[in-house]
Amino acid sequence: MGAGHDHGHAHGAPVTGTAAAAYRGRLRIALGITLTVMVVEIVGGVLADSLALIADAAHMATDAVGLGMALLAIHFANLPASANRTFGYARAEILAALANCLLLLGVGGYVLYEAIERFITPADTEGGLTAVFGLIGLVANMISLTLLMRGQKESLNVRGAFLEVAADALGSVAVLVSAVVILTTGWQAADPIASLVIGLMIVPRTLKLLRETLDVLLESAPKGVDMAEVRAHMLALDGVEDVHDLHAWTITSGMPVLSAHVVVRSDVLSAIGHEKMLHELQSCLGSHFDVEHCTFQLEPGGHAEHEVGLCH
């Protein structure tokens, strides 16, 4: 440890790799499935004159772009850190999730607009073909969902891809329902209604992901970390008199970090040493909160006022 009272300390795994990296292979498989089904549904939509199939294919195209960006983000996020980019390109993963949100909102708006147009200008949709292609889409989406199920709990980037595929699966269900209605009743309005349902399913999930993504970009406290409790746990340690400049944020999914200035009584610090104090702080946070990468500055009483003077 260095001399004086300005000390940093970090524990946990090195800041390399991201939560999404482990699911690169599954994302590639999901991308292949998505591109294949997209082409199939475009063909089916043209043959059956089904807006619902075309809408689902458009959503599939957005999924393909989103999955491609997710894979690209994983590539950049796992590049090594440098002197200028100390966390590497990990934040690229979050930027990809943000781009996915914007794409989804655009597709949702397009589908809603086209559905309203179809009400104004009805079409003669072929129910049988719509059902066949809708079923193909549903089966493919369920396979992709199974591949991404675990990863979406660990990475916002993978979660964005998962939510897109999930919305597609629900869209395929809507397509099937509309096809059955057309086959059994001949009611052509079922097709644009299914398209409206697909569009409305896209928006809420996208807004939820957008909120979580913006929380990361705005450096909000990591989800599940109560900063008041963090401070209370640190103050409960023997010798800790005050905690200030306490910050916690998320670099990217699975990479929460924390920094704090900790005022420690001089007698306690002399008795146990800086290293022991730092280990106690790290153990305190590691056992109660999901934050492993921490940086602490140990200070004697009165140093905070000195820092304020330096800032001016």
Side-chain angles (χ1 to χ4, degrees), residues 136 138 150 155 204 214 243:
I136 292 173
L138 179 60
R150 183 175 178 182
S155 165
L214 290 177
V243 175

Side-chain angles (χ1 to χ4, degrees), residues 196-217:
L196 283 174
V197 170
I198 293 172
L200 292 173
M201 285 189 301
I202 294 172
V203 177
R205 291 173 176 80
T206 303
L207 291 177
K208 183 176 184 294
L209 176 63
L210 180 61
R211 184 174 62 250
E212 293 180 3
T213 302
L214 290 177
D215 280 343
V216 173
L217 291 175

Side-chain angles (χ1 to χ4, degrees), residues 152-153 155-164 208-209 212:
Q152 65 94 20
K153 298 177 182 178
S155 165
L156 282 178
N157 197 19
V158 178
R159 189 181 307 173
F162 177 86
L163 289 175
E164 289 176 350
K208 183 176 184 294
L209 176 63
E212 293 180 3

Side-chain angles (χ1 to χ4, degrees), residues 11-18 87 254-255 292-293:
H11 281 285
V15 186
T16 57
T18 63
F87 282 105
M255 197 184 293
E292 294 184 356
H293 187 79

Side-chain angles (χ1 to χ4, degrees), residues 13-310:
V15 186
T16 57
T18 63
Y23 299 93
R24 185 187 285 112
R26 296 188 177 199
L27 283 168
R28 286 172 179 162
I29 296 173
L31 175 58
I33 292 173
T34 299
L35 287 171
T36 301
V37 175
M38 178 192 73
V39 173
V40 169
E41 287 196 337
I42 289 174
V43 173
V46 172
L47 292 176
D49 197 12
S50 169
L51 176 61
L53 274 175
I54 296 295
D56 209 31
H59 193 194
M60 283 280 189
T62 306
D63 289 353
V65 174
L67 287 164
M69 287 193 303
L71 287 166
L72 190 63
I74 291 172
H75 169 72
F76 281 111
N78 286 277
L79 291 176
S82 66
N84 293 327
R85 291 185 173 87
T86 56
F87 282 105
Y89 293 84
R91 188 55 65 86
E93 188 179 16
I94 303 303
L95 294 177
L98 177 62
N100 283 352
C101 290
L102 298 178
L103 281 170
L104 279 168
L105 289 175
V107 168
Y110 168 78
V111 169
L112 293 174
Y113 171 79
E114 288 297 323
I116 294 172
E117 284 291 311
R118 184 61 67 95
F119 278 116
I120 298 173
T121 309
D124 187 17
T125 302
E126 172 56 54
L129 283 175
T130 301
V132 171
F133 286 103
L135 183 60
I136 292 173
L138 179 60
V139 171
N141 284 322
M142 295 308 295
I143 294 173
S144 296
L145 284 175
T146 301
L147 290 172
L148 301 177
M149 177 68 73
R150 183 175 178 182
Q152 65 94 20
K153 298 177 182 178
E154 302 175 15
S155 165
L156 282 178
N157 197 19
V158 178
R159 189 181 307 173
F162 177 86
L163 289 175
E164 289 176 350
V165 177
D168 266 338
L170 293 174
S172 296
V173 171
V175 169
L176 285 171
V177 171
S178 71
V180 171
V181 171
I182 291 172
L183 283 172
T184 56
T185 69
W187 190 44
Q188 292 293 326
D191 184 67
I193 288 175
S195 303
L196 283 174
V197 170
I198 293 172
L200 292 173
M201 285 189 301
I202 294 172
V203 177
R205 291 173 176 80
T206 303
L207 291 177
K208 183 176 184 294
L209 176 63
L210 180 61
R211 184 174 62 250
E212 293 180 3
T213 302
L214 290 177
D215 280 343
V216 173
L217 291 175
L218 294 174
E219 299 190 341
S220 301
K223 187 176 181 180
V225 176
D226 186 319
M227 298 303 290
E229 289 187 16
V230 170
R231 184 185 298 275
H233 276 279
M234 294 172 70
L235 289 172
L237 290 175
D238 184 37
V240 175
E241 295 183 324
D242 186 31
V243 175
H244 64 97
D245 289 319
L246 174 61
H247 303 284
W249 65 101
T250 304
I251 300 298
T252 189
S253 302
M255 197 184 293
V257 295
L258 179 145
S259 67
H261 291 204
V262 185
V263 179
V264 184
R265 289 206 326 263
S266 298
D267 60 321
V268 173
L269 204 54
S270 298
I272 67 174
H274 288 78
E275 186 173 358
K276 180 68 161 57
M277 189 72 239
L278 290 169
H279 279 300
E280 287 189 8
L281 284 165
Q282 179 63 37
S283 298
C284 169
L285 295 185
S287 60
H288 294 95
F289 306 97
D290 187 22
V291 179
E292 294 184 356
H293 187 79
C294 303
T295 301
F296 300 111
Q297 176 171 302
L298 304 184
E299 303 175 350
H303 182 74
E305 289 76 6
H306 175 64
E307 288 179 341
V308 172
L310 290 176

